[in-house]
Amino acid sequence: MKALVFDGTALAERLVPRPRPRRGEALIKVRCAGICSTDIEILRGYMSFRGIPGHEFVGTVVSSSPRRLAGSRVVGEINLSCGSCPLCRAGLGTHCTTRSVLGIQGRNGAFAEYLALPVKNLHIVPPSLSDEEAAFTELVAAACEIPAQVDFRRSHSVYVLGDGRLAAMVAQVVRLKTKKVAVLGIDRDKLERIAAVGIETRDLKRRHGKLDRRDFVIDCTGSPEGLPLAAELVRPRGTIILKSTYQGTLEWNPAPIAVNEITVMGSRCGPFDTALDLLERRKIEVLPFLSAVYPLGSWEAAFRRARAADAFKVLIRIA
Amino acid sequence: MKALVFDGTALAERLVPRPRPRRGEALIKVRCAGICSTDIEILRGYMSFRGIPGHEFVGTVVSSSPRRLAGSRVVGEINLSCGSCPLCRAGLGTHCTTRSVLGIQGRNGAFAEYLALPVKNLHIVPPSLSDEEAAFTELVAAACEIPAQVDFRRSHSVYVLGDGRLAAMVAQVVRLKTKKVAVLGIDRDKLERIAAVGIETRDLKRRHGKLDRRDFVIDCTGSPEGLPLAAELVRPRGTIILKSTYQGTLEWNPAPIAVNEITVMGSRCGPFDTALDLLERRKIEVLPFLSAVYPLGSWEAAFRRARAADAFKVLIRIA
């Protein structure tokens, strides 16, 4: 099959054997796959990953055990846990210490014609959702992890830092829980597109009055500048949600965390069922944040586009 | 009066005017004052403080309104809040944005013959406690802030990182709530003295088996190395309590916080009443952690001693 393979230096299209599903796994023909910031960080060395990257996908089940899934259109949770360690037994399978992660850690991913995933990781896509919409499921689920961790009240005030695809999803998800949400970014065009779905935005590059401090600040910048800025903008005893991961180093004095008794909560993958439900009920708009769809053969152009400052989500159409 | 004054470059003994208590404040004759790591960081530039440092003290009230406190032996909370801003009105006076902090921020401190503090900040020292014991109140209160922020269960496991005076207090306070507490440090002698009050200790410089991951890791290292080590030792979805503040910069990639969905809680000053209660009921041992007492005239030797790797608490006896 055709696949994009990262050898530690460069990404290249190659012909590789189809994955062989293990017991309990399904073979999935990939329909389309999204390029995530994590993929771009992986090409810069993040997680020291080697193999086929890609973890946001929609596909069709070719074969599975039980068979009833065959032919279904699915999305899939990306963590492959052992199921038997103390963390798994405590229901924290996404934190299993011997886990592999689709296209991120020890497991070939979705930039390929086929992938294999455990049946228990799969979720059937409602027919009303297009492939392009369903490809946002993993991203929306990551946003849904935040209200799963934090009890928002209507009266809480929130900043979302960053103007990318994750920020756009997070702001929409959080807005369902609390009214006072603003996205702070630096790209005027992207902020305008976020504003177009009814989210308040502020351009950090423009002159503006002093920003008020908020109960929650959610760092979706994907950059080392996010956390220090969040610490400036959160109120004393407030909470920062850290969504950003990146290759590279933060240079900072974390004294404000201790002095202002701030809580920093890391947040990663989230619940697919909640995400699919919000997508199906049209509570979250995703297509305004689809920047482009490329065929697999144009993967270099797709990655260039995904890296561009003005891009939201870029998809690769594989079948 | 005699006082130690920091001019931004060096600490020096000077003759300065006595402080003039404002409305609602007491004039206090300082009996003894403790040297805290924050004082040492201040001399390295932390908080850009200028003036008389020192915030751990025991003193005798000379004059106050109401008068009934005159003659009392007291310790004092160090945050001077406005009492009227939204944070103060919400009971978060220690986070008042216009606050001053005794010997740390905008307010002369305790390395002097006299200091002034609002009467509402003062706590009378029980007669059964010596000056030397009472001088630990602020430090013990800082340790007591942790169980005020976190609901410990008996079954929780905890590491305390650092082998200094704060770590010794924190470990003793946390042990009252949960059984599995170990202090991880690098100074053999100090670890032995912590072990002597019944706390489990491990020497990070010695060969030991792989350390298990714990539910809570409390960073009392006062060093940029503390937080990254804490992130390695806390379990996924576990909590790091950040007590350390220091002058200087942390260089680190905080990805483990997001990936392992760790919570980092900053923690600063704590409740004096709880601390005095624990001291009076002999639930916390402090005198094993008193390294030396110097007269004010020997302040240079006192600071040298406080900076030494093997020192716990060093006091300056002023009256």
Side-chain angles (χ1 to χ4, degrees), chain B residues 131-289:
Chain B
D131 284 351
E132 287 72 16
E133 289 168 319
F136 279 84
T137 307
E138 205 272 336
L139 188 63
V140 174
C144 291
E145 180 71 350
I146 299 170
Q149 292 175 291
V150 168
D151 258 331
F152 286 113
R153 270 176 282 152
R154 270 337 243 178
S155 60
H156 279 144
S157 59
V158 182
Y159 285 132
V160 177
L161 305 187
D163 47 28
R165 41 206 172 242
L166 179 59
M169 298 305 124
V170 165
Q172 290 187 81
V173 165
V174 170
R175 186 179 48 167
L176 299 172
K177 301 285 178 183
T178 181
K179 285 257 169 185
K180 200 173 176 186
V181 180
V183 167
L184 310 187
I186 51 174
D187 187 295
R188 196 172 154 178
D189 291 342
K190 286 163 91 176
L191 288 171
E192 276 177 14
R193 283 161 72 187
I194 292 171
V197 300
I199 303 282
E200 186 192 337
T201 62
R202 308 238 193 123
D203 188 338
L204 290 170
K205 281 186 171 166
R206 285 188 178 187
R207 209 169 260 292
H208 48 67
K210 204 174 175 242
L211 291 162
D212 59 312
R213 291 188 168 210
R214 300 228 163 161
D215 300 314
F216 291 86
V217 181
I218 304 172
D219 174 22
C220 303
T221 59
S223 123
E225 281 115 63
L227 186 54
L229 178 61
E232 277 176 38
L233 293 173
V234 74
R235 68 161 169 81
R237 291 259 179 113
T239 299
I240 294 169
I241 313 274
L242 184 66
K243 275 288 184 191
S244 292
T245 52
Y246 43 82
Q247 178 65 14
T249 305
L250 166 69
E251 290 186 37
W252 184 50
N253 186 324
I257 302 296
V259 171
N260 296 328
E261 299 196 322
I262 294 165
T263 295
V264 181
M265 292 185 79
S267 178
R268 191 170 41 110
C269 301
F272 269 51
D273 46 1
T274 312
L276 284 167
D277 178 62
L278 291 179
L279 287 167
E280 191 180 11
R281 287 162 55 218
R282 306 286 159 190
K283 293 287 184 186
I284 305 285
E285 291 197 59
V286 295
L287 291 184
F289 305 103

Side-chain angles (χ1 to χ4, degrees), chain A residues 46 92 95 99 145 236-237 242 246 248-254 257-264 266-268, chain B residues 46 92 95 99 145 236-237 242 246 248-254 257-264 266-268:
Chain A
Y46 180 65
L92 297 176
H95 293 286
R99 74 181 179 275
E145 180 72 350
R237 292 258 179 111
L242 184 66
Y246 44 81
T249 304
L250 166 68
E251 291 185 37
W252 183 49
N253 186 325
I257 302 296
V259 171
N260 297 327
E261 300 196 321
I262 294 165
T263 295
V264 181
S267 178
R268 192 169 43 107
Chain B
Y46 180 66
L92 297 176
H95 292 287
R99 75 183 178 275
E145 180 71 350
R237 291 259 179 113
L242 184 66
Y246 43 82
T249 305
L250 166 69
E251 290 186 37
W252 184 50
N253 186 324
I257 302 296
V259 171
N260 296 328
E261 299 196 322
I262 294 165
T263 295
V264 181
S267 178
R268 191 170 41 110

Side-chain angles (χ1 to χ4, degrees), chain A residues 47-86:
Chain A
M47 296 298 287
S48 304
F49 178 78
R50 307 283 180 273
I52 304 170
H55 57 275
E56 297 177 0
F57 75 93
V58 192
T60 307
V61 175
V62 177
S63 62
S64 76
S65 165
R67 276 200 186 163
R68 58 167 177 79
L69 270 182
S72 298
R73 195 168 56 126
V74 295
V75 290
E77 297 190 45
I78 68 177
N79 292 283
L80 291 90
S81 49
C82 73
S84 58
C85 72

Side-chain angles (χ1 to χ4, degrees), chain A:
Chain A
M1 67 171 186
K2 289 183 203 163
L4 305 183
V5 180
F6 182 60
D7 63 3
T9 310
L11 194 65
E13 189 179 329
R14 300 240 199 105
L15 280 174
V16 299
R18 273 193 199 182
R20 287 192 195 170
R22 294 175 215 175
R23 194 187 164 82
E25 292 186 353
L27 181 69
I28 295 154
K29 190 164 165 47
V30 181
R31 299 165 68 94
C32 66
I35 300 176
C36 170
S37 298
T38 304
D39 301 319
I40 292 167
E41 293 297 314
I42 278 172
L43 303 189
R44 298 172 62 200
Y46 180 65
M47 296 298 287
S48 304
F49 178 78
R50 307 283 180 273
I52 304 170
H55 57 275
E56 297 177 0
F57 75 93
V58 192
T60 307
V61 175
V62 177
S63 62
S64 76
S65 165
R67 276 200 186 163
R68 58 167 177 79
L69 270 182
S72 298
R73 195 168 56 126
V74 295
V75 290
E77 297 190 45
I78 68 177
N79 292 283
L80 291 90
S81 49
C82 73
S84 58
C85 72
L87 284 159
C88 283
R89 278 184 279 124
L92 297 176
T94 59
H95 293 286
C96 169
T97 46
T98 60
R99 74 181 179 275
S100 56
V101 186
L102 186 74
I104 295 175
Q105 187 178 319
R107 181 86 182 193
N108 278 329
F111 296 135
E113 290 182 287
Y114 295 88
L115 64 82
L117 259 189
V119 167
K120 67 175 180 181
N121 286 39
L122 303 179
H123 296 259
I124 292 178
V125 177
S128 64
L129 293 180
S130 67
D131 284 353
E132 287 73 15
E133 288 169 319
F136 280 85
T137 308
E138 206 270 338
L139 188 63
V140 175
C144 291
E145 180 72 350
I146 298 170
Q149 293 175 290
V150 168
D151 260 331
F152 286 113
R153 270 176 281 154
R154 270 337 245 177
S155 61
H156 279 144
S157 59
V158 183
Y159 284 131
V160 178
L161 304 187
D163 45 30
R165 41 206 171 241
L166 179 59
M169 299 305 124
V170 165
Q172 289 187 81
V173 165
V174 171
R175 187 180 46 167
L176 299 171
K177 300 286 178 184
T178 180
K179 287 258 169 182
K180 200 173 176 186
V181 180
V183 167
L184 309 187
I186 53 174
D187 187 294
R188 195 171 153 180
D189 291 343
K190 288 162 91 177
L191 288 172
E192 275 177 12
R193 281 160 74 187
I194 292 171
V197 300
I199 302 282
E200 186 192 337
T201 62
R202 308 237 193 125
D203 187 338
L204 290 171
K205 280 186 171 166
R206 285 188 179 187
R207 208 168 260 293
H208 48 66
K210 205 173 175 243
L211 292 162
D212 58 311
R213 292 189 167 208
R214 299 227 164 161
D215 300 315
F216 291 87
V217 180
I218 305 172
D219 175 22
C220 303
T221 58
S223 123
E225 280 115 63
L227 186 54
L229 178 60
E232 278 177 36
L233 292 174
V234 73
R235 69 161 169 81
R237 292 258 179 111
T239 299
I240 294 169
I241 313 275
L242 184 66
K243 275 288 184 191
S244 294
T245 52
Y246 44 81
Q247 179 65 14
T249 304
L250 166 68
E251 291 185 37
W252 183 49
N253 186 325
I257 302 296
V259 171
N260 297 327
E261 300 196 321
I262 294 165
T263 295
V264 181
M265 292 186 78
S267 178
R268 192 169 43 107
C269 301
F272 269 50
D273 46 1
T274 311
L276 285 167
D277 179 62
L278 291 180
L279 287 168
E280 192 181 10
R281 288 163 55 218
R282 306 285 159 188
K283 293 286 186 188
I284 305 285
E285 291 196 58
V286 295
L287 292 183
F289 305 103
L290 177 61
S291 290
V293 184
Y294 292 82
L296 181 58
S298 302
W299 61 270
E300 288 180 282
F303 270 83
R304 259 200 311 277
R305 184 84 182 87
R307 276 195 193 94
D310 67 338
F312 283 109
K313 181 57 70 188
V314 172
L315 299 181
I316 298 181
R317 167 63 71 175
I318 299 176

